[in-house]
Amino acid sequence: MADYADDSRRAPSRWGYGTERLPTALDELAGPESGNIELPLHLAWSGLRVFALGDVKLLIGLYRIILNNGSRDDFVRYLNRGHLVRHWPVLRKMLGRGVREPWEEAFPELRRSSAV
């Protein structure tokens, strides 16, 4: 029987949020600054699929969906660096630890934006 007391030998969870999903730099986030975004079904399979970036509540909802369910390609395509940093203090409260911590560990500027 395997001893899993040592986490370094434990297989990664298929539900985990691995850092390989993250962009290498926030500058890679090339999503639009304005207009509307229509999410594909793999991200928004029920409910609202079109989000107006000019509506802060919709923008935050959109980013929450993408951060929770997206892949690296989705992050780069739909997220905008400026919006992410600006709204991170609110977003981080809406994200589980498994999403929030990898982003803040990889990008300390997100953690700093929350401290302001």
Side-chain angles (χ1 to χ4, degrees):
M1 177 181 264
D3 176 14
Y4 288 108
D6 178 7
D7 283 344
S8 66
R9 293 185 294 158
R10 186 176 297 197
S13 167
R14 68 182 196 159
W15 304 109
Y17 199 97
T19 56
E20 68 278 354
R21 287 176 63 183
L22 301 178
T24 54
L26 289 182
D27 289 338
E28 289 182 43
L29 304 179
E33 291 183 36
S34 61
N36 294 328
I37 291 180
E38 182 174 357
L39 289 180
L41 288 173
H42 76 272
L43 289 173
W45 51 91
S46 70
L48 189 62
R49 289 190 52 218
V50 178
F51 298 82
L53 298 179
D55 183 321
V56 174
K57 288 182 182 179
L58 291 178
L59 183 141
I60 289 173
L62 167 74
Y63 275 47
R64 181 178 179 217
I65 290 169
I66 296 167
L67 289 164
N68 279 316
N69 303 312
S71 66
R72 184 184 186 289
D73 291 340
D74 295 320
F75 301 148
V76 170
R77 180 175 181 183
Y78 297 112
L79 299 179
N80 174 278
R81 181 193 188 284
H83 286 315
L84 182 67
V85 172
R86 183 176 313 110
H87 297 290
W88 188 256
V90 173
L91 277 165
R92 72 181 310 276
K93 296 174 186 175
M94 302 172 76
L95 301 169
R97 181 182 304 167
V99 175
R100 180 179 63 247
E101 288 180 353
W103 279 88
E104 289 183 344
E105 287 172 14
F107 308 111
E109 59 264 46
L110 293 176
R111 188 175 293 131
R112 286 192 298 269
S113 76
S114 297
V116 177

